[in-house]
Amino acid sequence: MSKPSQHQRKIKQNMKHRDNHSVCIKTALSRAEKRCAEDGQRFTGLRRQVLELVWAEHKPAKAYDLLATLSSIRSGVAPTTVYRALDFLQERGLVHKIESLNAYVGCSQPDTDHCGHFLICEACSEIKEIENSRVSSWLEQAAQDEDFIIKSETVELIGLCVRCQPLYGERATP
Amino acid sequence: MSKPSQHQRKIKQNMKHRDNHSVCIKTALSRAEKRCAEDGQRFTGLRRQVLELVWAEHKPAKAYDLLATLSSIRSGVAPTTVYRALDFLQERGLVHKIESLNAYVGCSQPDTDHCGHFLICEACSEIKEIENSRVSSWLEQAAQDEDFIIKSETVELIGLCVRCQPLYGERATP
DNA sequence: TTTGGGAAAGTAATATTATAACGATAAGCG
DNA sequence: CGCTTATCGTTATAATATTACTTTCCCAAA
Ligand SMILES: [Zn+2]
Ligand SMILES: [Zn+2]
Ligand SMILES: [Zn+2]
Ligand SMILES: [Zn+2]
């Protein structure tokens, strides 16, 4: 169990981040731009807008919600439009799909080659990509017991985030 | 890395199992029957048939494929029919949904309360539920670093099973 | 044995998520 | 500039899943 002080610290971190979320978006966009330039890929207006919408919150974005929002700022938008952009962004590692929600989220570490592992709050929907590669090596171990070679991983942990625990569940430490 | 002998042993285990798969089905059905009886739930003909079809192979079963097959052995089958049976079976822990495939698979350890963790072969589709609870405790650790409380886990590892590695990928040990 | 209440299944319609096919446009390149 | 190809627009349709309402069936109490 974590100490109360640590718990409070985490909550503060989280609140501070929420105040500065525009930084996340800017960072994500400039990284994407750089990354596409390096690969000789075109980071078009459409792709930029979709990535921007995906990053609008730290929550999973549904394709048809993106479609609706996008329609309000651009004409001739169909499902294909959104899915094509999402495919492009996923191929470049800029966006992950959350399989258990049929939703999409911006990658917070697009400079490394990885499968996303996520913590998803069932109360507030906030989603966090785990930055820890220990998980992958643990899973490798488990797979090796069966002589199985992993190519990609879907890891989505549903539960309560640090802010929602006092409201909806057991708190970490009273 | 595992030794060649171990690799061969795994392959033999696997082949033997394929010859005796009817045992899996029978076991699954009788467990389900017992389990429902204990809970005071009705294990109806429909539910039994759906569970039987889910268990027909060690592969993920798609809802609309179940629907088609079921239609051939019973009349008045609609999507609702299948989804209701699947919901029932999931609630009782007899079936898991594979989120990354939109498909369903029989639980191989319905007597324990757990989230399924899966190895899924991308070559032959064979799927295996990992029986190892180490994984859960590892994931708990990772979540604790973020003061996150896990309620449920989606863990789906895609790759190559022991039989398909020589055909499609690097072998474990030449 | 009858009968009433609730669970299960039937039925129809619709919502949600995703892809296919093909033509029009625009960016990059020699 | 004209060529090539990636991108995007447009339309249609496939695949997955749920809602709402009705009918049937089981079981247990009277
Ligand atoms: Zn990522
Ligand atoms: Zn939360
Ligand atoms: Zn299971
Ligand atoms: Zn295989």
Side-chain angles (χ1 to χ4, degrees), chain A residues 17 36 38 40 53 78-79 83 114 151 163 165:
Chain A
H17 176 203
C36 288
E38 286 166 2
L53 291 176
Y83 283 107
H114 67 283
K151 301 282 188 181
R163 280 184 307 114
Q165 286 163 33

Side-chain angles (χ1 to χ4, degrees), chain A residues 2 7 10 120 122 128 134 138 145-149 151-152 154-156 158-160 165 170, chain B residues 2 7 10 120 122 128 134 138 145-149 151-152 154-156 158-160 165 170:
Chain A
S2 42
H7 186 75
K10 284 282 175 188
I120 306 164
E122 63 187 359
K128 182 163 205 313
R134 275 184 303 167
W138 288 338
D145 293 350
E146 305 290 338
D147 270 342
F148 185 95
I149 295 178
K151 301 282 188 181
S152 83
T154 298
V155 176
E156 299 167 7
I158 310 295
L160 288 172
Q165 286 163 33
E170 321 110 280
Chain B
S2 42
H7 185 75
K10 286 281 174 188
I120 305 164
E122 63 187 358
K128 182 164 205 314
R134 275 185 306 167
W138 288 337
D145 293 350
E146 304 292 338
D147 269 343
F148 185 94
I149 295 177
K151 301 280 188 181
S152 84
T154 297
V155 176
E156 299 167 7
I158 310 294
L160 288 172
Q165 286 163 32
E170 321 109 284

Side-chain angles (χ1 to χ4, degrees), chain B residues 78-149:
Chain B
T80 327
T81 316
V82 171
Y83 283 108
R84 275 200 291 234
L86 288 172
D87 285 349
F88 173 88
L89 295 168
Q90 283 176 265
E91 279 161 17
R92 308 258 134 13
L94 300 167
V95 158
H96 296 289
K97 178 172 186 187
I98 307 300
E99 298 289 353
S100 60
L101 299 175
N102 293 322
Y104 304 82
V105 68
C107 174
S108 56
Q109 40 210 311
D111 297 323
T112 73
D113 191 16
H114 67 283
C115 304
H117 298 162
F118 301 95
L119 303 177
I120 305 164
C121 179
E122 63 187 358
C124 70
S125 296
E126 207 167 87
I127 190 164
K128 182 164 205 314
E129 186 171 350
I130 299 175
E131 317 232 344
N132 206 320
S133 67
R134 275 185 306 167
V135 174
S136 280
S137 70
W138 288 337
L139 295 176
E140 295 270 6
Q141 273 185 50
Q144 255 180 33
D145 293 350
E146 304 292 338
D147 269 343
F148 185 94
I149 295 177

Side-chain angles (χ1 to χ4, degrees), chain A residues 47-65:
Chain A
R47 289 164 178 175
R48 165 181 290 272
Q49 283 179 326
V50 170
L51 184 57
E52 220 165 342
L53 291 176
V54 167
W55 270 103
E57 295 184 280
H58 280 289
K59 296 181 181 177
K62 309 281 281 180
Y64 274 73
D65 291 344

